[in-house]
Amino acid sequence: MGLDFSVVPDYLDVIFLGALWTIAITVGAALLSFFGGIFFAVIALYAPILIRLPFRGFEWLFMGTPLLLQLFLIYFGLVQIGIDLPAFVAGVIGLGLHFAVYNSELIQTAIVAVDRGQMEAARTLGLSRGQALRKVVVPQAVRDVIPPIGNNMIALLKDSALVSVIGVTELTLSAQLAIGRTYRPFEFYVIAALFYYVINLGMEAVLRRIERRIQAAR
Amino acid sequence: MSDEKPFVDIRHAQKSYGALEVLKDISLKVNRGEIVAIIGPSGSGKSTLLRAINDLDPLTGGEVWLEDTQVNKTLPHRQYEKHINQVRQDIGMVFQHFNLFPHLTVRGNITLAPRMLKGLSEEEANRLAEEQLDKVGMLERIDYYPSQLSGGQKQRVAIARALAMKPKVMLFDEATSALDPELVEEVNLVMKKLAEEHMTMIIVTHEMGFAESVCDRVLFMDQGVVVEEGPPSVIFRNPESERTKNFLRKHLASNKE
């Protein structure tokens, strides 16, 4: 039995729709992981100990356990305590928080590395510590780690396939549906891979643009 | 110097890190419009004293007053933060390493604090930035980023940033020490201009020539005490203390190399 790509066009719309879901999940989770990462970094560094310690536990939970398990926990587990999230939302939250923790680690290091004189200059002008962090220190720290955060975002795109297990018909699950009808796994997995690759290229282009724009401001 | 009441009043300032005493009971009164230079070897405590004036390096003893306000008064944490943020708006400070905000343009550097703290509109803040930059001769660079400026230009922008808060007094912490020799003059010129406008200034410096030509009074500090103070003509030409003489001799020798 040879390869036969002629069945593919009939299912292109399904695959295409799946690709759109993948993009939607990735963009949603990427935004959550970016802003969540900043928020977590500030908590990890500056919150009072009573908040910082439980937060450490939460971080450990997200870094030390499989993403797959986290998705199950958020989607199937939370229902038992009355939080019934749509699969898409659960997927975005799971992916987003998971990568927020990794981004937070990067941003924490960068915040600590910002020259002490920056905080001093801001305080000297009369800014409070919080204002100085928000307007002077954190923006610089985030700029410094945009490239490694970009790498995390690429990883996030690829890990978005895991969201298929809680029933979001994203790219990988769409390919599986088409395979279920046609028994042509090779063809559809290759097509799905191609779509992932194209989305990846688009994402890298966006990241490069952001990097170029912040380059001037150094 | 007609005001009988001092404008900046440091009373019995003390600062120690554990057993190490950096400032030993220093008092300094500066009148409105007066320009005071603090000179001395490194480690003499002169920067620490300057940084105590806006409480960047809090004293362990003594008081700092600006007009009728005690800068370092004892208050519960939250109230103190509010108080000090208010007071600092009146005290401009210029650092050795400029400390411009690299992620903001020259305009952004200058407008940030006035917009956040004084509630200026974008238009008002822009006008203020243009006005201050014009004063330091940097108006054409308003949309540049700090990384695109020379050291002297950065320091002039930093001065404009401090001036934009309309401070009552300006503190200069070795403002020209990090500059290449050929860039020192442009910053000195800006400071001279401020002197002519009767800005009250306290200047920690290694530039003896500048201190002599601009300042009304010079303090020589060594090992946490004021060894000698007086008009520049006396301190530089005819100092009393052996320590002052030694310091000036060494300084002249090293500058000639």
Side-chain angles (χ1 to χ4, degrees):
Chain A
M1 182 165 153
L3 298 180
D4 178 10
F5 279 90
S6 67
V7 294
V8 170
D10 288 342
Y11 291 91
L12 259 189
D13 53 343
V14 176
I15 303 290
F16 197 73
L17 195 65
L20 287 182
W21 277 111
T22 288
I23 293 172
I25 291 167
T26 303
V27 170
L31 288 175
L32 178 61
S33 78
F34 180 72
F35 292 107
I38 296 171
F39 182 66
F40 291 168
V42 171
I43 288 184
L45 289 177
Y46 301 106
I49 190 128
L50 279 179
I51 299 174
R52 209 160 55 209
L53 279 187
F55 177 76
R56 283 270 152 213
F58 162 84
E59 256 190 342
W60 177 87
L61 185 78
F62 270 86
M63 290 186 95
T65 58
L67 175 56
L68 188 61
L69 186 123
Q70 292 161 18
L71 291 170
F72 283 150
L73 186 65
I74 291 172
Y75 186 57
F76 299 113
L78 288 186
V79 177
Q80 283 174 262
I81 54 169
I83 304 172
D84 190 0
L85 297 168
F88 174 77
V89 175
V92 167
I93 291 177
L95 261 180
L97 289 183
H98 185 84
F99 281 92
V101 171
Y102 283 94
N103 287 343
S104 161
E105 293 284 313
L106 291 170
I107 294 167
Q108 281 176 50
T109 314
I111 288 177
V112 174
V114 169
D115 185 78
R116 214 172 56 122
Q118 293 291 311
M119 175 60 93
E120 285 186 353
R123 296 303 311 268
T124 299
L125 290 165
L127 268 65
S128 70
R129 190 180 161 85
Q131 287 171 325
L133 277 176
R134 202 166 44 160
K135 292 288 183 175
V136 175
V137 176
V138 172
Q140 285 181 53
V142 171
R143 267 152 226 260
D144 289 343
V145 287
I146 288 290
I149 285 182
N151 292 342
N152 278 352
M153 298 300 97
I154 303 273
L156 185 152
L157 164 65
K158 291 185 282 189
D159 281 354
S160 72
L162 283 173
V163 176
S164 61
V165 297
I166 56 171
V168 179
T169 328
E170 43 66 72
L171 190 46
T172 301
L173 188 53
S174 305
Q176 277 168 344
L177 291 179
I179 291 161
R181 304 261 175 79
T182 60
Y183 303 105
R184 292 263 164 209
F186 187 87
E187 287 86 339
F188 280 102
Y189 282 138
V190 166
I191 291 296
L194 223 82
F195 268 84
Y196 274 115
Y197 187 65
V198 170
I199 297 172
N200 214 326
L201 285 182
M203 206 158 148
E204 276 178 31
V206 171
L207 287 169
R208 258 201 308 278
R209 260 179 97 149
I210 296 173
E211 276 174 44
R212 251 208 315 275
R213 274 187 61 177
I214 60 171
Q215 207 79 62
R218 277 175 182 263
Chain B
M1 280 113 271
S2 52
D3 283 4
E4 54 289 320
K5 207 174 165 213
F7 198 55
V8 178
D9 192 358
I10 301 171
R11 300 175 192 165
H12 306 291
Q14 280 173 302
K15 169 88 177 176
S16 44
Y17 298 100
L20 179 71
E21 263 192 293
V22 192
L23 299 178
K24 302 168 188 163
D25 191 24
I26 292 187
S27 292
L28 168 65
K29 295 183 197 311
V30 180
N31 292 317
R32 187 192 291 271
E34 199 181 9
I35 298 161
V36 175
I38 306 175
I39 61 170
S42 45
S44 59
K46 54 194 194 303
S47 278
T48 310
L49 179 66
L50 193 76
R51 289 161 59 90
I53 295 175
N54 62 1
D55 205 44
L56 222 45
D57 272 343
L59 292 174
T60 39
E63 296 178 359
V64 179
W65 289 76
L66 176 66
E67 285 189 299
D68 298 321
T69 312
Q70 187 182 349
V71 175
N72 62 341
K73 66 178 158 191
T74 315
L75 284 173
H77 179 73
R78 257 164 208 278
Q79 279 172 39
Y80 183 72
E81 282 295 306
K82 228 176 137 180
H83 154 79
I84 196 69
N85 291 336
Q86 194 64 42
V87 173
R88 280 177 179 154
Q89 293 189 28
D90 291 333
I91 308 175
M93 188 164 200
V94 176
F95 299 87
Q96 182 177 0
H97 295 290
F98 331 124
N99 296 350
L100 290 181
F101 308 134
H103 61 301
L104 301 176
T105 60
V106 167
R107 183 197 305 272
N109 266 274
I110 295 176
T111 55
L112 178 71
R115 290 207 62 183
M116 286 188 86
L117 305 175
K118 296 196 165 169
L120 264 59
S121 71
E122 197 178 337
E123 206 179 313
E124 290 167 324
N126 277 331
R127 212 175 314 127
L128 177 69
E130 284 161 16
E131 190 183 299
Q132 298 305 330
L133 284 171
D134 194 30
K135 201 176 204 169
V136 300
M138 287 294 296
L139 187 51
E140 321 84 77
R141 301 292 157 100
I142 191 165
D143 289 314
Y144 283 50
Y145 282 97
S147 61
Q148 299 166 301
L149 304 177
S150 74
Q153 292 174 329
K154 283 183 195 170
Q155 197 58 298
R156 280 145 70 195
V157 171
I159 294 172
R161 177 175 69 180
L163 290 175
M165 292 304 285
K166 311 276 182 196
K168 294 173 176 167
V169 51
M170 286 284 287
L171 312 177
F172 292 86
D173 192 3
E174 302 196 21
T176 55
S177 296
L179 295 176
D180 293 335
E182 73 270 19
L183 302 177
V184 168
E185 196 48 32
E186 62 183 81
V187 175
N188 280 349
L189 279 175
V190 169
M191 289 168 69
K192 273 183 189 157
K193 205 166 155 191
L194 281 179
E196 282 159 15
E197 293 170 9
H198 305 294
M199 171 63 81
T200 309
M201 303 203 269
I202 304 175
I203 302 169
V204 167
T205 185
H206 289 294
E207 301 263 326
M208 302 308 156
F210 178 77
E212 186 166 2
S213 66
V214 172
C215 298
D216 302 307
R217 190 151 48 107
V218 179
L219 265 75
F220 172 67
M221 279 181 69
D222 193 15
Q223 294 176 3
V225 295
V226 177
V227 176
E228 193 168 349
E229 77 172 284
S233 55
V234 174
I235 300 291
F236 290 120
R237 305 285 160 202
N238 202 4
E240 274 176 24
S241 152
E242 274 310 307
R243 277 152 92 183
T244 316
K245 284 178 197 166
N246 263 329
F247 169 75
L248 290 171
R249 203 178 306 128
K250 274 189 206 150
H251 197 84
L252 275 176
S254 67
N255 269 17
K256 271 185 189 145
E257 271 168 23

